[in-house]
Amino acid sequence: MAGPEGWLTLAEVAAATRGETCGDPQTPVCGISVHSARVRSGDLFVALRGPRRDGHDFVQAAAAQGAAAALVCRPVEAKIPLVLVPDTTRALLPLGALWRSRFAVRAIGVTGSVGKTTTAQLIKSVLSSTFPVHASAPEWNAELGVPLTLFGLEATHRFVVVELGMRGEGQIRALCEAVRPEIGVVTNVGTAHLELLGSLEAIARAKAELVETLPEDGWAVLNADDPRVRAMGRRTRARVVFYGIEAGEVRAEDIRVEREGVRFVLCTPEGRFPASLPLPGRHFVSNALAGAAVGWVCGVPPEAVVSALRRFRPPRMRLEVWTTPGGVLLVHDAYNASPESLRAAFESVRVLREGRRLVAVLGEMRELGPVRETAHLETGRQCVEEGVTVLVAVGEGGALIARGALEAGMPEERILRVRDAQAAARCTVELVRPGDVVLVKASRAVGLERVAEALGWSG
């Protein structure tokens, strides 16, 4: 028997996860947690196995916190009922789907090669101006993060914004089965994941899985400036709204990029409105237009949209601009990297630099497959075109960037090759001067936040 909104029985949990109940199958649970210290009374505690800790060792602690039951993949001693499954991590997505089904909430899925995290957060900001909204934490976009997002749903929420990542064809479709999005946003198709999918056409097919799952009365919100995304309008049965700098029902005019941010005129079917973002980069306008388009679809007043854009702050390590105690202007964009996002970062730095020395601390761009070498060499050439004063090249990818810079004419004495992020942090601290601009960028696995931390950044 189903419980009230937001409540489940162990029998329902077992059916969804193909598990076996050990205890009263009608035991109700009113929430789901994967952290024993954060369990609330009545929660189902999910015992996950991690590289350093095994959640099964904390079932008793979760029970003491008030857990009503636990989901486990091996027998444990506990005074609470259990659901035994083959793999608790694999059980998360169907469990998230079950939990999501309990709420009358409109789901918005966001995907794209570049900018999906910032776009998802902008959508959250726009919708939150008018409605109660729940959203993914940054990068909670795969088999683990998506169900964890769904577990945060409560009866008061009207919308949930879910970032959808992928490592292969079929993954977004599987995530959508749990999320059940009514609105799907696709930002762009780029070279990220080229190593895994082999071609831009394959990446586009994988991203299009989002719009293909939308219902007829849903909305596909598509970037008209990207031809591959624009073509997805023919692959959905949902209604389509296009946004873009060049074209679309929601678009931008009179764009002016300044040190304090970017100003533009927001054009929607409801009129034209002066707008701004406190982010220095023309590429952020596209993210803002996606947020504005979702706001229009969902009935957010234009004035509230403009206000939300003006007050927006980016997620951590995504083009954060910060002045260090030593007077260095840090452009911290070390969460991820691709050729497209690196070009955008250089564009932002161009506005901020104002004739000062530019130190670029750059490392590997991952998952580029067959274009890995050429992309890193091109980045080196970009460093010369942008007038980088000193290049700190980190790791193997950095060595390719250094080679490209050298071939393009950068003097050898202005290129520092270092092995890892720790070495990059040491040499950057030694070479920077007050007034310098320091750009820090690489794929997340390189760990270049250590450079920012060495300069005084604390997040």
Side-chain angles (χ1 to χ4, degrees):
M1 181 177 65
E5 183 177 59
W7 286 66
L8 305 171
T9 67
L10 283 199
E12 291 174 304
V13 171
T17 59
R18 299 184 179 180
E20 179 183 347
T21 56
C22 304
D24 182 4
Q26 295 307 312
T27 300
V29 295
C30 59
I32 300 171
S33 178
V34 298
H35 300 288
S36 60
R38 301 177 192 171
V39 165
R40 297 175 297 183
S41 179
D43 275 359
L44 172 71
F45 173 64
V46 181
L48 299 177
R49 285 174 164 167
R52 288 177 293 181
R53 292 188 176 185
D54 186 343
H56 294 78
D57 298 334
F58 298 89
V59 173
Q60 291 283 33
Q65 282 280 106
L71 188 77
V72 297
C73 58
R74 63 175 172 83
V76 296
E77 289 189 12
K79 296 180 180 179
I80 55 176
L82 306 173
V83 175
L84 185 63
V85 296
D87 185 326
T88 48
T89 300
R90 288 183 178 275
L92 280 180
L93 196 57
L95 184 59
L98 177 63
W99 187 251
R100 185 262 182 270
S101 71
R102 284 293 185 267
F103 298 92
V105 62
R106 294 185 74 185
I108 300 161
V110 183
T111 194
S113 297
V114 178
K116 58 181 174 291
T117 297
T118 300
T119 299
Q121 296 301 310
L122 274 160
I123 292 169
K124 175 190 177 184
S125 181
V126 166
L127 293 178
S128 295
S129 69
T130 308
F131 307 106
V133 179
H134 178 56
S136 299
E139 296 296 318
W140 277 22
N141 60 20
E143 296 94 333
L144 181 62
V146 167
L148 291 180
T149 297
L150 297 175
F151 295 157
L153 280 171
E154 298 179 356
T156 55
H157 291 133
R158 289 278 304 279
F159 292 91
V160 59
V161 184
V162 186
E163 186 180 335
L164 302 173
M166 62 91 187
R167 291 185 301 276
E169 291 192 38
Q171 186 174 20
I172 289 179
R173 192 179 304 279
L175 296 176
C176 286
E177 289 177 4
V179 175
R180 290 163 44 200
E182 295 180 33
I183 300 168
V185 181
V186 185
T187 62
N188 46 55
V189 173
T191 52
H193 306 304
L194 196 58
E195 180 179 24
L196 300 170
L197 287 136
S199 70
L200 289 173
E201 288 69 28
I203 294 171
R205 286 195 302 271
K207 298 297 185 186
E209 290 171 9
L210 170 56
V211 301
E212 290 169 353
T213 65
L214 298 173
E216 287 185 17
D217 60 350
W219 286 91
V221 180
L222 304 177
N223 182 0
D225 296 331
D226 187 314
R228 290 183 176 87
V229 176
R230 189 168 61 243
M232 292 179 193
R234 299 191 295 270
R235 302 185 66 162
T236 183
R237 54 183 175 163
R239 295 164 289 183
V240 177
V241 58
F242 290 108
Y243 69 90
I245 293 174
E246 302 297 333
E249 291 93 330
V250 178
R251 64 189 186 278
E253 295 179 353
D254 192 21
I255 300 172
R256 289 169 290 162
V257 182
E258 303 167 352
R259 180 185 170 90
E260 296 76 21
V262 57
R263 299 179 182 276
F264 59 98
V265 176
L266 173 64
C267 304
T268 79
E270 295 178 276
R272 303 170 81 254
F273 308 90
S276 64
L277 272 175
L279 305 172
R282 181 183 174 90
H283 63 285
F284 283 118
V285 175
S286 184
N287 304 143
L289 292 174
V294 172
W296 174 68
V297 164
C298 297
V300 178
E303 297 79 8
V305 171
V306 169
S307 177
L309 297 180
R310 185 175 61 248
R311 291 181 284 105
F312 180 73
R313 292 295 179 270
R316 291 177 68 252
M317 299 195 293
R318 290 170 176 82
L319 215 68
E320 286 187 87
V321 180
W322 185 72
T323 302
T324 74
V328 171
L329 188 67
L330 173 66
V331 182
H332 187 7
D333 199 24
Y335 202 96
N336 219 331
S338 68
E340 295 87 355
S341 67
L342 189 60
R343 282 194 293 272
F346 272 130
E347 177 187 301
S348 296
V349 168
R350 213 176 297 143
V351 177
L352 297 166
R353 187 177 177 185
E354 296 180 341
R356 292 182 285 182
R357 290 194 344 146
L358 172 58
V359 177
V361 186
L362 306 178
E364 181 89 29
M365 296 179 285
R366 298 288 177 90
E367 299 183 357
L368 296 180
V371 302
R372 174 181 179 271
E373 181 173 346
T374 56
H376 286 87
L377 291 173
E378 175 58 30
T379 295
R381 288 189 284 272
Q382 278 183 272
C383 289
V384 176
E385 292 169 4
E386 296 292 337
V388 169
T389 310
V390 181
L391 168 63
V392 180
V394 187
E396 292 182 9
L400 287 170
I401 295 172
R403 194 179 106 197
L406 193 63
E407 291 173 354
M410 182 176 285
E412 179 73 45
E413 62 270 19
R414 286 168 43 195
I415 302 172
L416 301 177
R417 299 171 180 82
V418 296
R419 183 177 63 182
D420 54 26
Q422 189 171 354
R426 285 195 301 268
C427 80
T428 303
V429 168
E430 291 173 0
L431 68 89
V432 294
R433 307 171 187 170
D436 284 354
V437 177
V438 178
L439 169 64
V440 181
K441 191 163 181 65
S443 286
R444 184 71 183 86
V446 181
L448 285 193
E449 67 273 12
R450 291 185 182 180
V451 176
E453 290 164 356
L455 292 171
W457 177 83
S458 61

